[in-house]
Amino acid sequence: VGFRMVVKGKGRGMEGASFHFSFGKLCPWISDLLIYKEHPMDIYAAALPGCPRLGAKHMRALMDYFETAEDVWKASAESIEKSHILTGKTLAAFLAYRNETSLEQIEEKLYRLDIRCSTFEDSDYPPLLATTANPPAVLFYRGALPCFERTIAIVGSRKATAYGIETAHELARGLSAHGITVVSGGARGIDSASHTGAMEGGSPTVVVLACGLDRVYPPENRHLFHQVIESGGTLVSEYPPGTPPLGRQFPARNRIIAGMSRGILVVEAAERSGSLITSDFALEEGRDVFSVPGSIWLPSCKGTNQLIRNGAICCTSADDILSEYGWKEEENKKSEKGFLEQLTLEEELVYRFCCTENEVTSEEILQQSGLSVVKLTMLLLQLQLKGYIREVGSGRYIVTRKD
C-alpha cells in the first residue's frame, strides 16, 4: 500500500520520474511530524532536569520567576544570581551545565528515543499531580498521555504471592473495563500484574519509572513496557534519559504515582513496604487509600491489613472503587446520551471504515478511502479526540462505541 509522486519540470533526466512511498513507513513519520508541529516540545524545559543539583522546586521557582524555561536558559548569570533562587554550588553547577550543554543534541536524542516532555504549566500535564506539594517541573513520557480525569494507582509487593498477583490483575482489569486509567510503577509483582490487567481491560495504563525512559528497569519488563505503549498507554518519568535507577529515586517516584491518582489501592504489602510510603504520600495530598485484606498469617499482608485498621477503605472488587466516586453511574448516563459530538462527512466516512472489522489498520483505510496520507492522519486523530475510535497499536484502530 502506498502512493506515487511524479516529478514535473526541468531536471537532469528527472522529468516524469515517479517515486513510490510506502504508507506503512511514511504514515508514522507524518504522524510524528504533525504532532511535533502542532505541539512543539519545549526543549529548554527538557534540558533543565539534566542539571546536577537542580531539583523540581528549583526548576519551578526559576520558571515562575523568569516566566518561561527559555528565559531561564537565556538569562544572564547576574540575573539568576539576583533572583536568589540558586546559590553557592547549585548556582555554579547550573551555570556550568548551561554553558556545556547542547540543546540540539538533547533535542535530537529525545526525538530519536521517541521521548517528549510536559511541564507543570502545560495543559496536558496531569491535573491532580499539578496540585501536589512538590510536582515535577518537567515530566518526560513515551507513548500518548491519557486523560487523567479518572485515575487509580495500584501498588504492592514486588515479591507478591499468587493471591496478590491474581487480585491485582483482576482489580486492574475491572477498573480498566470501565474506562479507569490504572497507574503503577512498572516493578515486579503487583505493579506488573496491574499493568497487564489494565491492558486486558481495554483502557490505557501509565507506568511511572524511577529512571530515564531509555533505561528498562526491571530488565525483564522490556516486553511489558513495549506492550503498554502499543496499547495506547504511557511511560512517564521526571528523570532525563541516561538516568540509572538509583534507590533514592524510588520514593520520589512514589509521590508521582500517588499525586496523579484520585485514589491509591494497596493490594499486598508487608509492614515496611515501599507501597506504604506511596499510601502516605496519598494521604498527605488528601487522596483516598484503598486496601485489599489478606491472610493474617502472611507477612506480605500485614501492611494492607494494618491500613484497613487505620481507616483505609476495604476493597474486594473494582465496584468498591467505582461506587466510591460514582463512576459507574456516570458511565451509565453517558451511554444513555450517546455521542455528544457530531461527525463531519469525511469523519463519518473514515468511521464507517473502522466499523467494518473488529480492528482495522490505517493502511486498509487509506487503500479503500482514497484519502491522502495527511488528511487520513488528521481525521483519525479527530475521531480519537471525539471518542469514536481508539488506537490499540501502531496504526491499528478499534471502534469504542458503535451506533
Side-chain angles (χ1 to χ4, degrees):
V1 178
F3 62 91
R4 190 170 296 277
M5 179 178 73
V6 178
V7 179
K8 295 182 178 180
K10 296 181 179 181
R12 289 188 172 183
M14 296 296 290
E15 302 91 332
S18 62
F19 302 89
H20 186 272
F21 294 86
S22 169
F23 175 75
K25 293 181 180 179
L26 185 63
C27 188
W29 178 82
I30 288 182
S31 299
D32 289 344
L33 182 61
L34 289 171
I35 292 171
Y36 270 74
K37 187 175 181 180
E38 188 173 350
H39 304 286
M41 181 164 54
D42 188 342
I43 192 60
Y44 298 98
L48 291 177
C51 176
R53 310 177 71 94
L54 196 66
K57 290 182 179 179
H58 283 143
M59 283 185 271
R60 292 196 312 273
L62 286 169
M63 292 167 73
D64 281 337
Y65 184 86
F66 290 100
E67 297 187 350
T68 69
E70 181 178 0
D71 291 334
V72 172
W73 196 262
K74 295 179 177 180
S76 65
E78 184 181 9
S79 297
I80 296 175
E81 189 173 8
K82 284 183 177 179
S83 72
H84 300 293
I85 297 171
L86 305 182
T87 58
K89 293 182 179 180
T90 305
L91 174 61
F94 175 70
L95 295 176
Y97 170 78
R98 195 175 60 171
N99 291 334
E100 298 165 0
T101 299
S102 166
L103 293 175
E104 291 76 13
Q105 289 181 1
I106 292 177
E107 186 172 31
E108 188 278 330
K109 183 176 184 179
L110 291 174
Y111 187 82
R112 175 168 44 84
L113 295 171
D114 197 21
I115 297 173
R116 296 184 58 75
C117 77
S118 176
T119 75
F120 71 104
E121 296 177 331
D122 291 338
S123 59
D124 59 357
Y125 190 90
L128 288 174
L129 183 60
T131 66
T132 59
N134 185 27
V138 179
L139 273 182
F140 296 95
Y141 65 92
R142 291 187 61 201
L145 284 179
C147 173
F148 288 96
E149 182 181 351
R150 303 195 299 176
T151 50
I152 291 293
I154 302 181
V155 297
S157 174
R158 288 178 172 83
K159 300 177 180 179
T161 64
Y163 163 76
I165 295 292
E166 183 179 2
T167 301
H169 181 277
E170 289 305 307
L171 290 174
R173 186 168 67 89
L175 291 169
S176 178
H178 288 86
I180 309 305
T181 299
V182 172
V183 180
S184 197
R188 301 178 181 97
I190 298 300
D191 289 13
S192 296
S194 301
H195 294 304
T196 303
M199 287 187 286
E200 288 186 14
S203 294
T205 183
V206 177
V207 182
V208 185
L209 297 174
C211 56
L213 295 181
D214 58 333
R215 302 295 183 98
V216 178
Y217 186 83
E220 64 267 27
N221 275 359
R222 180 179 297 275
H223 180 62
L224 173 64
F225 295 164
H226 176 74
Q227 285 183 309
V228 167
I229 294 175
E230 284 293 300
S231 64
T234 320
L235 306 185
V236 173
S237 176
E238 67 176 321
Y239 301 105
T243 306
L246 303 179
R248 66 175 180 270
Q249 291 159 193
F250 286 88
R253 180 276 306 269
N254 292 348
R255 90 185 191 283
I256 300 176
I257 294 175
M260 64 171 55
S261 307
R262 283 287 298 274
I264 179 169
L265 171 62
V266 186
V267 174
E268 197 173 55
E271 284 185 291
R272 297 186 178 181
S273 169
S275 303
L276 302 186
I277 296 176
T278 312
S279 68
D280 287 340
F281 279 125
L283 290 172
E284 289 173 5
E285 298 297 343
R287 311 295 161 79
D288 298 309
V289 175
F290 300 83
S291 185
V292 174
S295 170
I296 62 173
W297 309 111
L298 289 177
S300 61
C301 295
K302 286 187 176 181
T304 47
N305 290 338
Q306 183 65 46
L307 284 174
I308 295 173
R309 284 196 297 272
N310 292 343
I313 302 169
C314 182
C315 179
T316 58
S317 71
D319 281 347
D320 291 336
I321 297 175
L322 295 171
S323 61
E324 183 69 24
Y325 301 111
W327 285 339
K328 207 166 187 178
E329 291 77 5
E330 287 179 12
E331 185 179 352
N332 291 336
K333 289 179 181 178
K334 287 181 180 179
S335 297
E336 294 171 2
K337 289 180 180 179
F339 294 128
L340 298 179
E341 291 192 63
Q342 296 298 313
L343 298 180
T344 65
L345 290 176
E346 289 180 324
E347 290 169 351
E348 178 76 20
L349 171 68
V350 175
Y351 175 65
R352 292 304 170 193
F353 280 121
C354 293
C355 290
T356 57
E357 300 288 345
N358 290 332
E359 178 182 299
V360 295
T361 67
S362 52
E363 294 189 13
E364 292 169 342
I365 301 173
L366 181 78
Q367 189 177 37
Q368 298 177 51
S369 67
L371 295 167
S372 69
V373 176
V374 175
K375 187 67 175 179
L376 177 59
T377 301
M378 297 307 298
L379 290 172
L380 289 170
L381 178 61
Q382 287 299 320
L383 286 171
Q384 290 179 79
L385 293 175
K386 291 183 177 182
Y388 281 81
I389 64 173
R390 182 162 62 84
E391 189 173 15
V392 294
S394 179
R396 306 197 315 273
Y397 299 89
I398 61 171
V399 173
T400 54
R401 285 167 61 188
K402 294 190 178 183
D403 293 345

